[in-house]
Amino acid sequence: MDLENQQRVKDLAEEHGPENMLVVLGGAEAEASGLAVETVTNGDPTFAGPLAGVQLGLACYHVLESEIKEAIDEDVYEEQISMMEMVLDVDDIIEEVKTYREKYSKYKL
Amino acid sequence: MAKEIERAGITIVQMANLVPVAKTTGANRIVPTISIPYPLGDPKTPEDEQWKVRYTRVGAALDALETDIEDQTVFKVG
Amino acid sequence: MDKKAIVYINQFFGQVGGEEAADHPPEIKEGAVGAAQALAAEFAGDITHTVICGDNFMSSNQEEATARILEMLEDIDFDIFFAGPAFQAGRYGNACGAIGKAVKEEFAVPVISSMNEENPGGEMFKKDIYIFPGGRSGAKMREDAKKMAEFGNEILTSEGPFPADEYGFYKRGIRHQYFRPDEKTAAERALDMLLKKMKGEEYTSELPIPEVDRVDIAPAIEDLSQVKVALVSSGGIVPVGNPDRIQSASATRWGKYNIAGMDRLENRASEGFKTIHAGFDPAAADEDPNRVVPVDALRKFEEEGRIGKLHDEFYVTVGTGTTVGEAARMGQEIAEDLKDAGVQAVILTST
Amino acid sequence: MKLELGNFPVKEIEFGEQTAYQDGTLTINKEEALSVVYEDDHIIDADLKIVEPGDEVRLVPVKEAIEPRYREGGGPVFPGVTGELMQAGEGQTKALKDMSVLVVGKHWGGFQDGLIDMAGEGAKYTYFSRLKNVVLVADTDEEFEKREQQKKNRALRWAGMRLSEYLGRAVKDLEPEEVQELELPPIADRICELEDLPGVVLVLQPQSQMEEDGYNDLSYGWDTNHMLPTLMHPNEVLDGAMISGSFMPCSSKWSTYDFQNFPLIRKLYEEHGETLNFLGVIMSNLNVSLEEKERSAQFVAQIASTLGAEGAIVAEEGYGNPDADYTACLVALEEAGIDTVGVSNEATGRDGTSQPLVAMDPKADALVSTGNVSELIELPPMETVIGELEALARDGLSGGWEDDEELGPSVREDGSIIMENNAMFCGDGVTGWSTKTMKEF
């Protein structure tokens, strides 16, 4: 997760409280998605950004996960996301995101 | 040792009996000698013959110093 | 463990900024800053300071940057130095290697780094400091830092030995003997290796053949009659009495001896020269040292005008058992001396 | 050829009335034993000591180690050396096991002599620290070499062999506790199952680089400098055909005890008929001129090919220029299509960064390495020194020195020492004992 986004997440969490935040990921790749979850929960694993050593424990899901998918208007999801769902390795992504969430998230949906 | 002297930009020829050793250590100009304990004169031969061997081989080493080479070269003697 | 560590990282992992901050001059901060925190998580001692330096600053002012960092560290008490991990970042790898090497030489503490195998810094500095193979990017920070920190813990608390294959750092070309804990004898190992080799199975040679290091070929001398030629020998020919106490094996010393005005080297019986080389039968060399250091033949060539002049001193050491490392050092010292004396060509005789 | 080796394990050695072996105890009549030593007029002073593993004893300068034996029928244990020339490797020989006779100079040492610690940190470096040893410590009138760095040690080495034969006679009429039958039938007569197993030869390169007589390893008393590689039955080597010389830096040396017990030969015997067909020993040598080195390598490869060997093990007694013989031999065998493994030590320097062998070739791709000759070893003082500690520093032992800018003298005032592995008596165990290897650090 780039340094600007880390700063944004950090600022928002300070402003609204981490318990009131939900991060939705849209990354196309499992490893990067996992790292993003780690960054907003346990801190930046590369230790390069503002979230280095900051354990926000935010609730974090990938847009392809059923929890998010079900909350989105079906037509919108169909139009915006379903194409990608067919070409991505959805299981891998969900598995990875879930693993980190279960390990580090303090908050849930 | 030859390598370090050559690295310093001095042209060097190594006179050695053990050509494979000289090659392994990276000498570039090599002139073979006749044995390890007596590189340049076999005590079992007459004095004048030893002198001839020594003069010829050292001469070959001088020739080697004046020879341009592209690769590691073992100069033939005689 | 009450050991103290200092960590070196670049501007990016020190949270100063990305490429735009690459000219950041070296600074030192207390505690574990930025990526140093990843090491702090696994290191059993205390990370007291973090040195941060921009990659560009280091690569374009390496000498100055190194000097400044060494100065910063001068009054700090520390037991170990970590640099990186540097992943695949070339400038960063080079910086970790350069500063690591300098710190090791100046403060004699272990230095540990981590670099991806594609990082040229690894090849350049693996001989000087411990470098572990690492990931391509910061995504592997935790893993790479863990390897560094764990080895740091090990090296600070146990006596070793620390073989590369056991601990996983890049091999450094430093070979020492090692007693096998399983006490498997050479005979058993030889048989195992042979049986595997004959069956076409995998085996590991205990002495992998390294590549030969070559030097650029010095140009040919155009006209030797204008040139001063020197004799150098590894045959251990010294004045009887061996004034420089050159060792007869595993030599670490060399000598130079004046031959001005001598037509030939007188032998041992006439109190002239003898060999102290212990690797071969000395009889022939003692009887006539010119068989090893051909002063007589070169005098003849000098007289004939084939060479300009035979240098007034010849140089000597002993080849037997003398390690290649020592031979290289002595070669450098002799080369220096030869250059000062204006010698352009050398005949090296070895036994 | 069939050799029956009758073993008499020695559990204890003591001095007593009569030289005899009973129930694992070897008793020695010291006076009688010394009279055997004094048979040579050159021995001017001699004493015997007994040392055992764990004794706080340092031995230096050690010149030779021999296993005491008796040849059934009374023939010389070392044919052509201690008696008439006769065939070794056949018949019956009795051996006193778990012990050796060590020969130590009372004062003078040389390049080729070494050191043994019977206890402490130093004991891990030599095989002989694990044995019970009868130590002959003696001086000679060999004035010509007293101050020479290279010593033939003739009087002392021969005295050691006489003493070993004398001790061996203690079991002359006794039944051995165990008899080992060592038999390899003629190659042409070997049964079909063996034919399916790959033929393997052991190539030995004993030290033979001195031109002058008296320094090199001997084969039936013949200077190995004067021989071309030849096929020997392994039993010959184990039964006294080969004796050690007096030339090489000591950790590289193969003592006569090593020849008598050669672990590589023993291992090949064990594997014979199981995983391989042990064709024999090609006894080569080490030479001084390139042509000689190449000629020997060529002969070795030819003999191995003629025997139909598919595999070979080559072992080198020494380092430095002999590495050229070693590598030439490995390469020649590989080029003849024979899978080859080499066994040697290395010289990577005190700092470990030097080139391991002076001559190397990528074809030598399966090497066993048994140690670094230049490894620095620092050892605390020992209660007792047998011989003369100063010899390590004074007499040019290959691993000792009088003074060093950085390290000081090898022998310090308090009796502690610092030396190179070079001076460990037969310390690199290239004959197969070594549990050392080399690793990258």
Side-chain angles (χ1 to χ4, degrees), chain C residues 211-235:
Chain C
E211 278 174 36
V212 180
D213 164 37
R214 302 229 166 268
V215 286
D216 290 341
I217 297 172
I221 304 282
E222 269 184 32
D223 182 2
L224 274 170
S225 69
Q226 305 299 315
V227 160
K228 197 197 271 187
V229 179
L231 272 166
V232 179
S233 178
S234 59

Side-chain angles (χ1 to χ4, degrees), chain A:
Chain A
M1 186 179 282
D2 66 33
L3 307 186
E4 288 75 20
N5 278 334
Q6 288 192 35
Q7 192 61 51
R8 267 181 220 133
V9 171
K10 197 178 174 202
D11 291 346
L12 287 167
E14 269 166 27
E15 198 182 326
H16 303 288
E19 70 279 10
N20 298 317
M21 271 184 73
L22 168 66
V23 181
V24 179
L25 304 174
E29 199 258 328
E31 196 189 349
S33 301
L35 287 172
V37 182
E38 192 179 358
T39 305
V40 301
T41 53
N42 192 44
D44 177 6
T46 72
F47 289 85
L51 289 177
V54 181
Q55 290 167 310
L56 292 175
L58 302 181
C60 183
Y61 293 82
H62 197 277
V63 72
L64 297 172
E65 287 184 272
S66 56
E67 290 91 334
I68 306 294
K69 189 175 172 179
E70 280 159 14
I72 299 175
D73 181 287
E74 218 172 293
D75 292 338
V76 176
Y77 192 90
E78 186 68 29
E79 193 186 321
Q80 302 286 336
I81 301 169
S82 61
M83 279 294 285
M84 290 311 288
E85 197 171 14
M86 286 187 283
V87 296
L88 295 181
D89 195 338
V90 178
D91 293 344
D92 256 22
I93 294 176
I94 292 178
E95 183 61 36
E96 189 83 359
V97 168
K98 211 170 144 195
T99 305
Y100 282 99
R101 181 172 60 236
E102 284 173 1
K103 209 161 155 191
Y104 299 123
S105 280
K106 284 182 237 162
Y107 310 103
K108 295 269 144 51
L109 255 184

Side-chain angles (χ1 to χ4, degrees), chain D residues 72-322:
Chain D
E72 206 65 52
V77 171
F78 304 104
V81 178
T82 54
E84 85 268 33
L85 190 58
M86 61 180 285
Q87 184 62 51
E90 210 158 39
Q92 292 163 314
T93 295
K94 290 169 172 170
L96 291 165
K97 302 306 287 187
D98 311 320
M99 72 163 290
S100 83
V101 167
L102 294 178
V103 183
V104 178
K106 186 170 170 128
H107 299 297
W108 304 103
F111 187 68
Q112 65 292 317
D113 299 341
L115 178 142
I116 298 173
D117 270 6
M118 292 303 295
E121 170 74 8
K124 72 180 185 194
Y125 288 95
T126 83
Y127 184 76
F128 299 93
S129 311
R130 295 190 223 165
L131 299 177
K132 290 165 277 290
N133 300 298
V134 173
V135 184
L136 166 62
V137 50
D139 198 10
T140 79
D141 68 354
E142 291 156 311
E143 292 295 329
F144 73 99
E145 65 175 18
K146 189 162 277 179
R147 304 275 175 179
E148 289 294 324
Q149 194 179 14
Q150 289 286 3
K151 291 183 170 58
K152 298 180 183 182
N153 286 320
R154 159 125 196 157
L156 289 174
R157 291 194 289 136
W158 262 250
M161 286 186 276
R162 281 198 306 281
L163 179 60
S164 301
E165 290 188 330
Y166 165 78
L167 295 177
R169 283 197 287 276
V171 294
K172 179 173 175 241
D173 301 318
L174 302 179
E175 281 301 310
E177 188 154 299
E178 165 210 35
V179 176
Q180 283 180 315
E181 292 192 0
L182 297 165
E183 183 175 20
L184 286 181
I187 293 167
D189 295 352
R190 294 189 189 175
I191 46 169
C192 307
E193 298 106 76
L194 272 174
E195 281 174 7
D196 293 338
L197 293 171
V200 170
V201 290
L202 176 64
V203 180
L204 300 182
Q205 298 183 306
Q207 188 48 245
S208 60
Q209 289 192 293
M210 283 299 254
E211 302 278 326
E212 192 183 330
D213 284 347
Y215 295 100
N216 295 323
D217 294 5
L218 301 180
S219 176
Y220 288 104
W222 182 251
D223 193 322
T224 45
N225 182 285
H226 306 323
M227 62 180 251
L228 283 169
T230 190
L231 182 64
M232 286 179 79
H233 195 287
N235 288 1
E236 297 182 271
V237 180
L238 296 176
D239 192 32
M242 300 291 301
I243 70 153
S244 176
S246 184
F247 173 57
M248 221 31 216
C250 208
S251 73
S252 305
K253 186 208 277 282
W254 301 351
S255 70
T256 296
Y257 182 98
D258 291 329
F259 277 114
Q260 292 171 300
N261 289 280
F262 226 105
L264 276 166
I265 294 180
R266 291 304 197 127
K267 189 72 199 164
L268 282 161
Y269 250 118
E270 266 176 46
E271 297 293 327
H272 177 70
E274 302 288 326
T275 58
L276 53 81
N277 178 1
F278 186 14
L279 298 173
V281 173
I282 300 175
M283 190 60 67
S284 184
N285 56 2
L286 295 167
N287 301 283
V288 285
S289 82
L290 182 61
E291 195 183 314
E292 289 166 353
K293 290 171 193 288
E294 286 172 346
R295 185 182 296 112
S296 279
Q298 186 178 310
F299 262 94
V300 166
Q302 174 276 121
I303 296 172
S305 299
T306 304
L307 292 173
E310 290 172 50
I313 296 176
V314 181
E316 173 200 10
E317 184 186 8
Y319 71 92
N321 88 65

Side-chain angles (χ1 to χ4, degrees), chain B residues 41-56:
Chain B
D42 183 349
K44 294 195 287 287
T45 61
E47 283 283 328
D48 58 335
E49 196 162 312
Q50 290 182 47
W51 167 255
K52 221 167 96 187
V53 162
R54 188 143 70 241
Y55 187 80
T56 315

Side-chain angles (χ1 to χ4, degrees), chain C residues 181-240:
Chain C
D182 63 3
E183 299 197 337
K184 194 166 171 182
T185 66
E188 292 167 321
R189 279 136 60 198
L191 255 297
D192 277 3
M193 205 182 287
L194 181 67
L195 292 174
K196 283 183 178 153
K197 188 168 176 176
M198 288 194 300
K199 282 188 213 149
E201 293 171 6
E202 289 272 312
Y203 60 87
T204 310
S205 177
E206 296 177 12
L207 199 175
I209 301 298
E211 278 174 36
V212 180
D213 164 37
R214 302 229 166 268
V215 286
D216 290 341
I217 297 172
I221 304 282
E222 269 184 32
D223 182 2
L224 274 170
S225 69
Q226 305 299 315
V227 160
K228 197 197 271 187
V229 179
L231 272 166
V232 179
S233 178
S234 59
I237 301 288
V238 298
V240 171

Side-chain angles (χ1 to χ4, degrees), chain D residues 359-430:
Chain D
M360 292 188 285
D361 191 294
K363 291 198 181 81
D365 60 1
L367 302 177
V368 169
S369 180
T370 65
N372 171 20
V373 298
S374 310
E375 202 83 27
L376 281 177
I377 299 171
E378 207 172 343
L379 296 169
M382 274 285 175
E383 241 168 55
T384 311
V385 173
I386 296 179
E388 194 166 294
L389 189 58
E390 197 46 43
L392 173 65
R394 181 194 59 208
D395 299 346
L397 267 71
S398 48
W401 53 85
E402 274 187 271
D403 202 7
D404 183 281
E405 287 87 352
E406 278 171 45
L407 304 168
S410 266
V411 177
R412 298 167 180 149
E413 268 175 32
D414 67 350
S416 64
I417 56 172
I418 182 163
M419 55 178 250
E420 281 186 4
N421 174 45
N422 257 321
M424 273 296 169
F425 183 76
C426 302
D428 291 331
V430 170

